[in-house]
Amino acid sequence: MARSIKLKTTLSYNIMKKNLIYFLALVFLTAACVQEESDSPEMGRVSFSKIVFDAMEAYSPSSKVSASSSWEHVLPETATLLITNNSTGDEYSLEYSPKNLLAGAEIVLPFGEYTYYTKVWGPSEAKFLPYTINGEFELATNDLDLTVYATTKFGLITLDATNVSEAHLDGNVALERTEDGAFYYLYIVKENMRTLSVVENFNQNTLQQSITLKGFHHYHFQLELDEDESGVNLIHLNLGEFYFDFDNINIVGDGELVEDADGNSYETVKIGDQYWMAENLRASTYCNGESIAKLDLPMKWEDNKETEFVLVREDSYTDAVHYYYPEAVAKSEDNICPCGWRVGTDEDWLELESFLGMPESEFYQSDFTNQRGSNAEIADKMMAVDWKDIYPGDIREVFPNNSSKFTAYPAGGVDFEYDSDNYFHINRFSVATWHSVSDGSSLLARALFPFANGVYDGSGISRSRSRYGKYLPIRCVKE
């Protein structure tokens, strides 16, 4: 009886031992599976659907071709996007086609936080649009779709190829031709002053236009016959947000310069039916050859022994020399402007302002807040595009494009001030102002003062008796 019981106990022990071995094996296999599974990170797919060229100069176009522009950017065939895991430092490369705006470009990555970067670059004159891309994203899902933002420092020059046989920059850099032959083009690094030379097909004459380029601006040119078909003019269209902003500004061609009695040459510009000098006057000799004194600022009034004179000062920010004329010189019948030209009259200025969009109801407003013509953005159209880059100050609500090619700079005015060591005082270097001759007893003045003044920050032009001094610059208009 005892043996039987002992046998049963031994048998039970062996069964328990065997089961324990199976259990431990199962636990080991399960742990191994868990360990293997924990070593494999979660993965997700990142898709890049399009490139958006980010806002530059207050513009934010969101596609390669906007609805109002027919230009499609020239981009390279391929580029590489470098993606870096912020935690591990692992780098991943993704080849993509900029022409397709990254459509279909995708990569599988471990979950985590990443930065990405690409640089499509070129020389200062490029056949395709150079740009950079950088950003970051967090991958925490199986599928992530991204839009990447690109920036560029380059501007674009295009030229309608109709009636054009050659096109160069600075006389030696040939513009590229589009595949369909419809345009010449070149991408140019921003803020470079360049000269576009165009050879027309009719008489093989060369026309030229100087351009100060801004990043992400499109400058388009075309040739048009004069109304009397006597020649060809170069027509300039300034674009922002890659849309045409055509104000029918007719730019005269190369060789259209005017010379004063001192031998100074000035560029000229046709605006509507008027021809204006595109620079302020720098003369000290009347049209009839009679000279007046040039008095260098700073100075004191008692040092002046002259009855007719022009005040002269050097610009503290540029190499320019500004000339300021008293009322007597501005109104003199001897004519301080080049022969055949005159000091701009009130009527001349009104015609200019009307052409640039000022309504007649605002013609005779006399104010000091530059609201005349602000709805038509008169100041934007007259201020040099590099005004904000050269001169300090806070310009708000004003975005100079100089579409009129009037090219105004802030020379300010000069006034008489007894309380200073130098009695002649420079009044507001931040304002562009000019004499405008009227039939009244005193001169009117025109002024562009777009800076923050506590009252109004606008893009208009004032018409009033000058508050910037009695001595002002002069712009001449062709008689």
Side-chain angles (χ1 to χ4, degrees), residues 274 276-277 330 335-345 347-348 351 437 474-479:
Q274 296 175 303
W276 287 83
M277 291 188 345
N335 187 19
I336 194 63
C337 287
C339 297
W341 293 67
R342 63 170 178 259
V343 179
T345 66
E347 291 75 17
D348 291 329
E351 183 177 345
V437 179
I474 284 175
R475 276 294 175 103
C476 302
V477 63
K478 191 172 184 179
E479 294 180 342

Side-chain angles (χ1 to χ4, degrees), residues 309-453:
F309 57 90
V310 55
L311 301 175
V312 178
R313 77 172 178 93
E314 293 185 2
D315 194 303
S316 57
Y317 295 93
T318 69
D319 294 330
V321 177
H322 299 302
Y323 284 58
Y324 305 89
Y325 298 88
E327 179 177 337
V329 173
K331 297 184 71 171
S332 173
E333 293 182 357
D334 291 332
N335 187 19
I336 194 63
C337 287
C339 297
W341 293 67
R342 63 170 178 259
V343 179
T345 66
D346 185 44
E347 291 75 17
D348 291 329
W349 283 93
L350 289 173
E351 183 177 345
L352 169 65
E353 293 160 350
S354 175
F355 182 78
L356 296 179
M358 181 183 294
E360 188 173 352
S361 60
E362 298 179 13
F363 277 4
Y364 302 105
Q365 289 181 3
S366 180
D367 64 77
F368 296 119
T369 57
N370 291 7
Q371 296 189 52
R372 295 175 66 254
S374 60
N375 290 333
E377 298 180 335
I378 297 292
D380 287 2
K381 297 173 181 178
M382 297 178 67
M383 294 168 62
V385 294
D386 56 351
W387 174 315
K388 297 165 68 173
D389 300 324
I390 297 175
Y391 299 92
D394 176 22
I395 295 184
R396 301 197 301 266
E397 311 299 332
V398 179
F399 304 97
N401 57 57
N402 195 29
S403 60
S404 70
K405 307 306 291 181
F406 191 85
T407 317
Y409 284 102
V414 176
D415 212 348
F416 190 69
E417 186 177 71
Y418 287 104
D419 296 333
S420 66
D421 292 334
N422 299 296
Y423 297 160
F424 282 106
H425 173 67
I426 305 302
N427 194 343
R428 291 291 178 88
F429 72 90
S430 56
V431 64
T433 186
W434 306 272
H435 281 304
S436 57
V437 179
S438 68
D439 294 332
S441 59
S442 62
L443 291 182
L444 291 172
R446 290 310 199 276
L448 302 176
F449 183 62
F451 288 77
N453 57 15

